[in-house]
Amino acid sequence: MKITDVKVIVASPGRNYATLKITTDDGLVGWGDATLNGRELAVAAYLRDHVGPLLIGKDAHRIGDIWQYLYQGGYWRRGPVTMTAIAAVDVALWDIKGKAAGLPVYQLLGGAARDGVTVYGHANGADVPELLADVQRFVDAGYRAVRVQTAVPGLERTYGMGGNSTDVTYEPADGALPSEHVWETGPYLDHLPKVVAAVRAEFGYGVHLLHDVHHRLSPIEAGRLGRSLEPYRMFWIEDATPAEDQEAFRLIRQHTTTPLAVGEVFNSIWDCQHLITNRLIDYIRTSVSHTGGITHLRRVFDLAHLYGVRSGSHGAGDLSPISFAAALHLDLAIPNFGMQEYMGHLPPWDEVFSVGYEFADGLFHPGDAAGLGVDFDEAAAERFPYEPRYLPVNRLRDGSMHDW
Ligand code: CS2
Ligand code: MG
């Protein structure tokens, strides 16, 4: 089964997505997500100019060998652009293999190890009453886990503050240039424990609560935050501190029993190795589409399993429905599944993507169509041309750059 065509489509149905289409000589088509938020065209060019031509004529069944060819054979390794491109190829080839076998991808990965995939939804609010109403919306819809984020008094824009919580406007990758926000750690550290206390007072302990710090704290500040949240038994706090300095997590661990999750900006198993093998985290949150695809992420989760670390795959709206479907297949099959993020996608995403995954009673199932169970309408995509959009940046009050 030879690869005959490799094509990249960049379109903006709700937000920018880069999509890879691989075609084989027996007419099968596989889809991969090549989206890297705010850097879409870099991955598209990498695929179009440097990867696509190498794939023509290769046997689409040899997923592992093609992965090594692009990674080990590419000389320049790792990094978000390279690993997102490899992921797109890998996921498209798994899609093709499933279609060739007439089986959903999770069956090829060993079959279902659970009935469905527990996801957390995103509850947001400008203040506590607004947040409580949003949490209620998720509880009513059957979610067993909810991420809670609010604005911080005194700060004009904060990550996680929803304008309209039925969409993802709190993450405004919507400017042709990055907008600038102001960040102050003190008010945040004082405010968040009160927010979570209010959610527990209203909803009790029967729903899992999560929170995303979005890389904004120093290790000792993260230790303080984790400790102050202990009475509320968080499922996890996410990205407490920038994780380039992996040893920093030891300091957080020394100060709190609040579970730690990290990894959405990681690209390879090497980014995870120290954190996992030293048991410095509880959940590894790498994504299928930024960490080399199903093939590589499965290795990350296998390594994590040896050390009692569970999966927590990134599932933001800037990962396309193809990526979300791929994550669900993997989540269903691995032994050490922990939690899957589900942010959803902005309309009119469903004019371009059609999906087989379904939500019921707090769980997603990827469906039983052959392959990933996702389709992409190329003609519809042409109606939504790419527009440059960037995530915001953060500065402190004195103008210094800070993590957003
Ligand atoms: C966020 C992401 O979902 C999350 O946990 O941290 O939405 C992140 O901000 C985006 O993926 C950045 O593109
Ligand atoms: Mg996050």
Side-chain angles (χ1 to χ4, degrees):
M1 187 170 56
K2 289 200 186 332
I3 297 173
T4 52
D5 194 42
V6 178
K7 183 177 175 190
V8 192
I9 303 126
V10 185
S12 189
R15 66 191 303 163
N16 289 319
Y17 295 113
T19 302
L20 183 71
K21 178 187 184 188
I22 297 184
T23 309
T24 65
D25 57 3
D26 48 8
L28 291 178
V29 166
W31 299 106
D33 179 19
T35 311
L36 185 62
N37 198 3
R39 300 290 185 273
E40 297 86 358
L41 300 185
V43 184
Y46 189 96
L47 280 166
R48 192 191 54 232
D49 299 337
H50 302 294
V51 171
L54 311 183
L55 296 179
I56 304 299
K58 287 216 172 339
D59 179 359
H61 270 310
R62 296 184 62 176
I63 299 179
D65 184 59
I66 290 177
W67 199 98
Q68 290 300 332
Y69 184 81
L70 295 177
Y71 180 85
Q72 204 174 2
Y75 193 70
W76 308 108
R77 299 183 184 186
R78 305 163 64 184
V81 173
T82 301
M83 297 305 282
T84 302
I86 295 178
V89 173
D90 182 80
V91 168
L93 293 179
W94 277 103
D95 192 20
I96 287 172
K97 196 182 275 297
K99 286 169 179 165
L103 289 170
V105 168
Y106 76 84
Q107 294 291 13
L108 306 181
L109 299 172
R114 55 196 49 80
D115 298 333
V117 173
T118 308
V119 294
Y120 65 91
H122 284 200
N124 315 303
D127 54 21
V128 169
E130 216 179 277
L131 173 67
L132 295 180
D134 211 22
V135 174
Q136 185 70 57
R137 188 169 66 85
F138 284 100
V139 169
D140 291 346
Y143 282 75
R144 303 171 187 189
V146 184
R147 191 186 89 162
V148 292
Q149 312 282 144
T150 59
V152 176
L155 298 183
E156 212 179 296
R157 292 300 314 263
T158 315
Y159 170 83
M161 183 173 84
N164 168 3
S165 46
T166 58
D167 62 31
V168 290
T169 49
Y170 70 85
E171 193 169 72
D174 61 0
L177 288 173
S179 57
E180 301 220 350
H181 296 178
V182 173
W183 175 252
E184 249 189 297
T185 297
Y188 167 77
L189 287 177
D190 290 340
H191 185 59
L192 187 64
K194 296 178 201 150
V195 170
V196 181
V199 177
R200 282 299 187 209
E202 182 79 12
F203 295 95
Y205 285 77
V207 58
H208 293 303
L209 297 184
L210 304 86
H211 177 77
D212 191 348
V213 182
H214 227 252
H215 305 113
R216 286 170 190 202
L217 301 179
S218 71
I220 199 68
E221 289 163 348
R224 180 181 140 200
L225 178 72
R227 186 175 287 186
S228 66
L229 294 175
E230 279 170 22
Y232 314 116
R233 289 181 242 140
M234 304 298 289
F235 189 87
W236 75 39
I237 56 171
E238 168 183 336
D239 293 344
T241 197
E244 290 98 323
D245 177 7
Q246 309 216 329
E247 194 49 26
F249 279 72
R250 197 181 299 280
L251 189 65
I252 308 176
R253 267 281 200 251
Q254 282 162 355
H255 291 279
T256 183
T257 57
T258 293
L260 303 174
V262 74
E264 69 182 41
V265 302
F266 293 178
N267 312 124
S268 85
I269 198 166
W270 304 104
D271 296 330
C272 313
Q273 182 186 21
H274 185 80
L275 288 168
I276 290 173
T277 59
N278 287 280
R279 302 175 196 272
L280 300 180
I281 54 170
D282 302 282
Y283 297 92
I284 184 72
R285 288 193 70 263
T286 39
S287 69
V288 170
S289 56
H290 297 152
T291 316
I294 291 172
T295 299
H296 195 62
L297 191 52
R298 185 162 60 156
R299 293 213 173 98
V300 171
F301 290 158
D302 279 344
L303 175 68
H305 191 209
L306 284 179
Y307 293 90
V309 173
R310 293 197 281 154
S311 75
S313 288
H314 187 205
D318 54 283
L319 311 176
S320 91
I322 298 167
S323 179
F324 187 64
L328 291 178
H329 285 279
L330 192 54
D331 291 339
L332 201 62
I334 57 172
N336 53 328
F337 171 74
M339 182 65 81
Q340 170 69 50
E341 178 180 26
Y342 175 61
M343 193 197 277
H345 297 95
L346 279 176
W349 71 273
D350 53 352
E351 290 185 32
V352 172
F353 297 93
S354 49
V355 300
Y357 51 76
E358 279 179 357
F359 177 80
D361 197 23
L363 307 177
F364 263 96
H365 193 283
D368 281 305
L372 293 171
V374 177
D375 236 322
F376 183 87
D377 184 335
E378 288 178 78
E382 280 176 22
R383 298 202 302 273
F384 307 104
Y386 164 80
E387 296 162 26
R389 287 182 194 156
Y390 288 93
L391 291 168
V393 299
N394 254 343
R395 290 188 190 275
L396 301 179
R397 292 238 180 258
D398 70 356
S400 313
M401 285 299 301
H402 193 71
D403 303 82
W404 178 73

